[in-house]
Amino acid sequence: MLLTLASGALFFPGLFALSTWALRRSRPGWTDNDCLTVGTRLVSSVQAVLATWAGLIIIGSCSDVVTDRHWLAREYVWFLIPYMIYDCYAMYLCEWCRTRDQKLRRATIFRNFLIENRLMVTHHAVILFVLVPVSQKLRGELGDFFVGCIFTAELSTPFVSLGRVLIQLKQQHTLLYKVNGILTLTTFLFCRILLFPYMYWSYGQYKGISILRVPFNIPMHCNVANAILISPQLYWFSLLCKKAARLFDTAKAKKNG
């Protein structure tokens, strides 16, 4: 556990420092905020690929969705904890860099950061203080398969990150941005929304019951945890759909005009 925590604490900030340094050297025309934003998104994408890879390995190794075990189901959570802490700091650093020319007090910058990133900060806090204890202690020796499923939700993150980077670099007009938008919506729908019905269906297959009966045949805290997890995903997905609709309407208006 301690070795895994230390590895994460070194890996994610180290990758961030290396990537931002390399971007400053190779992209002299970019601002510090551009380099920090791209570096942050690069680290997020790397974490997402690692989490998805770990999740697929866990899912593939658990033929029994309740009792089968895989060491990655616990170890990757320890590796993830430093990432959550680092990511909050990296987001704050981007906010500080973006507003430093305004000569704002640090307290004001921090307050603005919390307001603008309240959902993401809350998401990270819930993972750290609620879901980590549940996954590492309270669930006992059961449910590694479902932990692996949750890990695969990160598959959409590289596409979300690429979209943010393209916006930062003012590349919304490009074909890459439009194609990435389609991939973002698709992976988000399947890996962050439909993932939850899939987990309920998998448990129903295991128990030989209908998916509609599953919520009444599992502990209430499992339903509550899933509700907490899916709620922000539904909100974010609605924002992605609205953005996609605006992009489509803009392109249609230009074509007609």
Side-chain angles (χ1 to χ4, degrees):
M1 179 188 76
L2 292 177
L3 179 61
T4 307
L5 281 169
S7 298
L10 291 173
F11 178 75
F12 294 114
L15 180 60
F16 175 67
L18 179 63
S19 60
T20 52
W21 174 82
L23 287 167
R24 286 191 178 104
R25 298 270 295 183
S26 62
R27 296 289 186 271
W30 285 13
T31 65
D32 285 346
N33 190 39
D34 289 339
C35 294
L36 288 173
T37 299
V38 174
T40 301
R41 294 298 171 180
L42 174 64
V43 176
S44 296
S45 297
V46 170
Q47 189 284 132
V49 170
L50 292 175
T52 302
W53 170 73
L56 292 174
I57 290 176
I58 295 166
I59 292 170
S61 68
C62 294
S63 55
D64 187 306
V65 301
V66 174
T67 60
D68 279 358
R69 307 298 311 283
H70 195 284
W71 63 272
L72 275 173
R74 289 194 183 276
E75 286 302 311
Y76 193 81
V77 174
W78 296 126
F79 188 65
L80 184 64
I81 290 172
Y83 167 77
M84 292 295 171
I85 299 171
Y86 142 80
D87 196 44
C88 288
Y89 174 73
M91 288 189 293
Y92 168 75
L93 192 61
C94 289
E95 177 68 17
W96 172 82
C97 185
R98 186 179 66 83
T99 60
R100 64 181 176 181
D101 291 338
Q102 301 176 23
K103 308 299 183 183
L104 299 175
R105 296 172 55 192
R106 284 190 177 272
T108 302
I109 296 173
F110 186 69
R111 184 178 68 250
N112 292 342
F113 159 72
L114 291 178
I115 292 172
E116 293 182 13
N117 298 276
R118 58 188 178 276
L119 193 58
M120 185 62 72
V121 172
T122 302
H123 172 266
H124 284 16
V126 168
I127 289 176
L128 285 172
F129 299 113
V130 179
L131 297 181
V132 167
V134 168
S135 66
Q136 300 300 79
K137 298 295 182 182
L138 299 181
R139 71 182 178 91
E141 305 295 317
L142 304 175
D144 282 13
F145 172 85
F146 299 105
V147 174
C149 288
I150 296 297
F151 287 167
T152 62
E154 290 293 309
L155 180 61
S156 63
T157 298
F159 303 105
V160 174
S161 294
L162 178 57
R164 295 287 182 86
V165 168
L166 291 173
I167 291 172
Q168 178 73 22
L169 301 178
K170 298 178 175 57
Q171 297 296 309
Q172 299 96 312
H173 61 282
T174 62
L175 178 61
L176 175 60
Y177 182 79
K178 295 178 177 63
V179 172
N180 183 72
I182 295 172
L183 293 173
T184 300
L185 281 173
T186 303
T187 54
F188 205 101
L189 174 63
F190 281 94
C191 298
R192 290 184 179 251
I193 307 297
L194 298 181
L195 171 70
F196 292 90
Y198 170 73
M199 291 193 294
Y200 278 73
W201 175 82
S202 297
Y203 186 80
Q205 293 293 107
Y206 169 77
K207 296 291 287 187
I209 60 176
S210 165
I211 187 175
L212 299 177
R213 293 176 56 194
V214 171
F216 306 102
N217 285 269
I218 60 176
M220 180 55 67
H221 66 264
C222 294
N223 291 317
V224 172
N226 285 328
I228 292 172
L229 283 172
I230 199 173
S231 296
Q233 314 305 330
L234 291 171
Y235 174 72
W236 283 324
F237 186 68
S238 70
L239 294 181
L240 289 173
C241 290
K242 290 177 182 177
K243 184 182 292 185
R246 287 197 301 268
L247 184 65
F248 176 78
D249 290 342
T250 302
K252 187 176 180 181
K254 287 182 178 179
K255 185 177 180 180
N256 293 336

